[in-house]
Amino acid sequence: MTLKVIYFMVNGRLEHAEFRTDCSSTDVKDLLRASVEAGPHDILTMYDAEGNVVNISSSLTANDVNTCYRLEVVASDLQNRALAVPTELRNMDNRLENLETKVLEDTGKTKDLKSQVESFKRKLENVEHRSWIGLFKGQERPQRRASQGHRPVQDEQAQVRRTFRHMSSLHVNDKVREYLKTPLFDNWQWEEAEMLVLLQVMYTDLDFVNAFHIEVDVLQNFLFEVYRHYNNIPFHNFQHCFCVTQMMYGLIWLTDLRCKLERIDLFVMLTSALCHDLDHPGYNNVYQINARTDLALRYNDISPLENHHCAVAFAILAKPECNILKSLTCNQYKHIRAGMIKCILATDMARHNEILNKFKVTLPVFDFRTEGHKEVLMKIMVKVSDISNEARPMAVAEPWLDCLLQEFFNQSDSEKLKGLPVTPFMDRDKVSKPSSQTGFIRFVLLPLFTELTKLFPCLEQHILEPVRKALDYYSDLEKEAQAEAGCAKP
């Protein structure tokens, strides 16, 4: 398919974009949004060299630097700005969207649209809290905040904080507490303030609060600051942080690690899971290094993101009002800091094979009393928790894949705009949902989960079997897609 190149001015600088001539208007708009770092709800307006408004779609005429377009953000964050969108422009944009949808339908591309509608229906059917009964009696459920901008705005943060403080004094029933200990837990049914309450429950039920003399107010301040330092990006956000921490919490209970490891090591693993992606920008280490970002320069291209996550975690802990480690001895603090750094740095997938191979070597002679064995196990537990979505029910896991692909596509779009090497598994023109998962499950998840199950056979039914089923599911989808592609060829 032919590539089209357009040049345009935005914020006084010349940019260019490349896209295929069969791209949808949505893809083209997303590509341009990346160039101005606009949010998903911002409205872009494109003008030609004569100043006329033109429709943003693949039908844009290819040009050169002498006849470049002009791109503007017409409206952004409408709830918080006085700037209003002219009614005529809004109506025109809506009409264009409707026309583009009609064109897609008329050209035989309705199957994907129907699939999206069915997926959305399934999500709507699961909107109600399945575990809300008996959790907070007599309390109104808080409204889910809209994601706008890169970080939650201050008033929304303040509302989450108030709701969290209020709910934290209420009793979380035993049914919810037990549900929280399983990989079946559905994060999509919970608001952010509720997640903060459940995180507090984790620290309380593992007896960290009593053992390490943590003041409840300080724990709440710490949890809120962690929430505040996760960005509003498609995947590596606070909900991901919660899911990873909840999986770690569940694994601790399922494997009875409370009887095998010291409490301080359990604290290291849970807190590492909580902090493992703090302030993630939505672009991976390869991007940071290729784009020569400040993080890559600061950390000399060595796990820039993971080093940054650690630094942010201990910057939060350095605040007196958030310092849940302030009652510990100097040796305890050093133990926790060293352990968290090792565990968080272990989440860099560039080190995956190295860490997995070390774990394999220990298995035949594994001893929980051996420091080296214990250290590599803690890294493996954090790694498993970090990439555990496919161990969850499909209704929970599949929306996470949608979020991940959106973040991947945002990165590859930005790489194309900036002329950087395009990460192959993130290229929207080359990747599909099934193809993105079959290789990852077969070559990353299954080997990792299989080795952990050798040490803890009880995990086979909880995490290994669901991952095998996920592989079968996506393999079938991939075969269907290949068969359809074969039939479509002349």
Side-chain angles (χ1 to χ4, degrees):
M1 186 58 65
T2 307
L3 279 178
K4 183 180 289 186
V5 180
I6 64 165
Y7 292 85
F8 56 94
M9 294 294 296
V10 55
N11 297 330
R13 68 179 187 275
L14 180 66
E15 297 280 1
H16 74 279
E18 297 181 8
F19 50 85
R20 299 194 320 179
T21 54
D22 64 343
C23 275
S24 69
S25 61
T26 300
D27 289 342
V28 177
K29 288 174 184 175
D30 287 343
L31 190 65
L32 296 179
R33 278 195 173 93
S35 70
V36 295
E37 298 181 349
H41 303 292
D42 296 348
I43 297 176
L44 307 181
T45 303
M46 184 77 85
Y47 300 87
D48 62 18
E50 286 73 41
N52 301 312
V53 176
V54 294
N55 183 28
I56 300 176
S57 70
S58 59
S59 62
L60 282 168
T61 303
N63 59 358
D64 55 34
V65 294
N66 297 317
T67 58
C68 58
Y69 296 102
R70 179 165 54 89
L71 181 65
E72 289 184 357
V73 180
V74 175
S76 178
D77 197 5
L78 296 179
Q79 293 181 343
N80 297 317
R81 295 190 186 182
L83 181 63
V85 182
T87 303
E88 295 82 4
L89 182 58
R90 187 190 300 275
N91 291 339
M92 181 181 71
D93 195 72
N94 289 338
R95 288 198 302 274
L96 287 173
E97 290 290 343
N98 290 335
L99 285 171
E100 288 160 0
T101 300
K102 182 68 167 59
V103 170
L104 285 177
E105 291 175 347
D106 289 346
T107 53
K109 297 184 179 179
T110 58
K111 184 168 185 179
D112 183 60
L113 182 60
K114 289 178 181 177
S115 175
Q116 292 179 39
V117 171
E118 290 303 315
S119 175
F120 185 61
K121 281 183 180 178
R122 289 195 297 271
K123 293 174 187 176
L124 285 180
E125 290 168 359
N126 290 313
V127 162
E128 293 304 318
H129 277 260
R130 294 196 298 211
S131 296
W132 185 259
I133 298 173
L135 178 54
F136 304 121
K137 291 183 178 178
Q139 302 299 319
E140 288 187 8
R141 285 178 53 196
Q143 296 299 310
R144 185 178 296 276
R145 67 174 175 82
S147 293
Q148 295 191 9
H150 203 51
R151 284 264 181 86
V153 292
Q154 289 185 352
D155 57 341
E156 291 172 336
Q157 291 179 342
Q159 179 58 45
V160 169
R161 185 182 182 89
R162 285 192 297 270
T163 307
F164 169 40
R165 290 281 190 175
H166 176 61
M167 285 183 167
S168 65
S169 63
L170 302 172
H171 175 68
V172 178
N173 68 24
D174 292 340
K175 181 179 178 182
V176 174
R177 280 181 140 92
E178 290 305 310
Y179 182 41
L180 192 61
K181 297 175 183 176
T182 74
L184 300 175
F185 192 90
D186 185 354
N187 67 281
W188 301 113
Q189 310 301 323
W190 302 83
E191 308 291 339
E192 287 163 333
E194 298 163 12
M195 291 185 213
L196 288 168
V197 172
L198 295 177
L199 289 169
Q200 182 176 326
V201 167
M202 296 179 204
Y203 275 79
T204 302
D205 285 4
L206 287 173
D207 204 30
F208 295 159
V209 173
N210 290 329
F212 303 120
H213 310 290
I214 302 172
E215 298 171 14
V216 173
D217 284 351
V218 175
L219 175 60
Q220 291 175 350
N221 290 338
F222 169 69
L223 294 175
F224 178 74
E225 279 299 295
V226 166
Y227 153 76
R228 204 171 65 82
H229 281 80
Y230 274 93
N231 294 317
N232 276 347
I233 52 181
F235 185 86
H236 292 98
N237 49 40
F238 176 68
Q239 282 203 336
H240 169 67
C241 149
F242 175 83
C243 284
V244 175
T245 310
Q246 184 272 323
M247 182 60 76
M248 172 60 72
Y249 179 72
L251 292 176
I252 288 172
W253 286 97
L254 290 171
T255 58
D256 201 21
L257 276 181
R258 293 170 304 130
C259 299
K260 297 178 174 72
L261 295 179
E262 295 178 27
R263 185 175 285 110
I264 195 169
D265 292 322
L266 302 182
F267 180 91
V268 166
M269 290 193 296
L270 194 77
T271 310
S272 296
L274 183 72
C275 299
H276 83 286
D277 272 333
L278 279 167
D279 198 36
H280 197 297
Y283 299 91
N284 72 4
N285 281 331
V286 173
Y287 181 93
Q288 304 298 322
I289 294 167
N290 287 339
R292 303 176 187 178
T293 65
D294 289 342
L295 289 181
L297 295 175
R298 181 177 305 143
Y299 296 110
N300 302 310
D301 295 350
I302 301 172
S303 301
L305 288 180
E306 290 73 23
N307 274 294
H308 180 59
H309 305 325
C310 287
V312 174
F314 282 95
I316 293 173
L317 287 166
K319 298 179 180 181
E321 68 274 15
C322 301
N323 188 3
I324 58 176
L325 308 179
K326 65 181 180 181
S327 298
L328 301 182
T329 66
C330 182
N331 286 337
Q332 285 178 317
Y333 174 82
K334 288 180 178 178
H335 183 93
I336 288 174
R337 176 168 166 78
M340 284 181 60
I341 291 172
K342 290 173 184 175
C343 285
I344 294 176
L345 290 182
T347 62
D348 183 353
M349 289 303 293
R351 298 183 58 205
H352 177 77
N353 289 333
E354 166 209 336
I355 295 168
L356 181 56
N357 288 334
K358 284 184 180 179
F359 183 59
K360 287 180 180 179
V361 171
T362 69
L363 282 176
V365 292
F366 193 91
D367 187 341
F368 286 97
R369 296 166 297 180
T370 301
E371 193 63 33
H373 294 185
K374 182 176 65 174
E375 180 181 303
V376 72
L377 172 63
M378 292 168 66
K379 293 177 181 178
I380 288 290
M381 295 290 281
V382 174
K383 285 175 60 59
V384 167
S385 300
D386 186 22
I387 55 177
S388 62
N389 282 333
E390 293 303 336
R392 298 183 184 274
M394 188 57 67
V396 179
E398 194 164 15
W400 273 118
L401 178 56
D402 294 334
C403 294
L404 181 62
L405 289 178
Q406 182 183 346
E407 195 167 294
F408 281 179
F409 294 160
N410 288 346
Q411 174 169 324
S412 66
D413 289 346
S414 182
E415 288 168 337
K416 292 173 185 177
L417 279 171
K418 295 179 184 298
L420 300 173
V422 178
T423 307
F425 65 86
M426 296 187 179
D427 192 338
R428 69 171 73 242
D429 296 325
K430 300 177 180 177
V431 175
S432 66
K433 282 177 68 171
S435 68
S436 71
Q437 286 304 90
T438 51
F440 182 70
I441 294 173
R442 185 175 288 116
F443 300 114
V444 179
L445 291 188
L446 279 178
L448 176 63
F449 286 26
T450 298
E451 295 305 318
L452 184 60
T453 303
K454 290 178 182 177
L455 185 62
F456 301 113
C458 61
L459 291 181
E460 180 159 2
Q461 63 172 312
H462 295 291
I463 64 172
L464 190 54
E465 278 303 318
V467 168
R468 287 172 179 155
K469 291 178 181 177
L471 178 58
D472 291 340
Y473 172 74
Y474 286 111
S475 295
D476 289 344
L477 288 182
E478 189 171 29
K479 289 174 184 176
E480 290 175 9
Q482 291 171 349
E484 288 179 5
C487 292
K489 291 181 180 179

